[in-house]
């Protein structure tokens, strides 16, 4: 049941990244492949550091069922960054980031 949201302003092969990411997460967490869902949100404008707008960003937010150790989350984050680099047209002047967190107890899916 991994839920993934990707905010991006860089040219990204969205479908290719999502399919590869789902496989990676299923293998790393034991979640069923069919349970993975990715949403993409294009970012209109980014402001980095001193206010320059010339940098692009890609941030991947992954929410998993409780129980993954912090070390496992770090390994998954590193793998996601490597995967992301392969699905971008360029990584020059692109800020990449990944955050993995647990679902809250209030999460329900239907």
């Amino acid at each position: 049941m991994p839920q993934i949201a990707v905010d991006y302003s860089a040219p990204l092969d969205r479908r290719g990244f999502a399919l590869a990411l789902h496989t990676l997460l299923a293998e790393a967490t034991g979640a069923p492949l069919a349970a993975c869902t990715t949403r993409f949100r294009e970012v209109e404008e980014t402001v980095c550091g001193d206010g320059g707008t010339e940098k692009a960003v890609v941030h991947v937010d992954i929410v998993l069922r409780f129980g993954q150790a912090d070390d496992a989350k770090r390994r998954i984050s590193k793998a996601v960054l490597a995967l992301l680099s392969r699905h971008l047209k360029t990584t020059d002047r692109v800020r990449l980031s990944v955050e993995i967190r647990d679902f809250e107890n209030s999460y329900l899916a239907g």
Side-chain angles (χ1 to χ4, degrees), residues 37 67 83 92 95:
T37 303
L83 184 66
D92 187 41
R95 278 192 188 183

Side-chain angles (χ1 to χ4, degrees), residues 27-107:
E27 291 172 358
T29 67
L33 184 62
C36 297
T37 303
T38 299
R39 299 178 316 275
F40 291 93
R41 303 179 291 214
E42 189 168 9
V43 176
E44 286 187 35
E45 180 179 11
T46 59
V47 178
C48 298
D50 64 359
T53 58
E54 67 279 353
K55 279 196 176 181
V57 297
V58 181
H59 175 74
V60 181
D61 184 40
I62 301 171
V63 188
L64 300 174
R65 177 175 284 156
F66 180 79
Q68 294 293 322
D70 287 343
D71 286 345
K73 290 177 185 175
R74 276 190 286 281
R75 282 193 303 278
I76 294 168
S77 292
K78 288 179 183 179
V80 171
L81 284 177
L83 184 66
L84 188 55
S85 295
R86 293 194 297 270
H87 291 275
L88 287 166
K89 291 186 180 174
T90 181
T91 57
D92 187 41
R93 303 194 56 73
V94 179
R95 278 192 188 183
L96 305 177
S97 58
V98 177
E99 179 181 11
I100 300 177
R101 55 193 169 83
D102 296 329
F103 280 112
E104 293 293 326
N105 289 333
S106 61
Y107 177 80

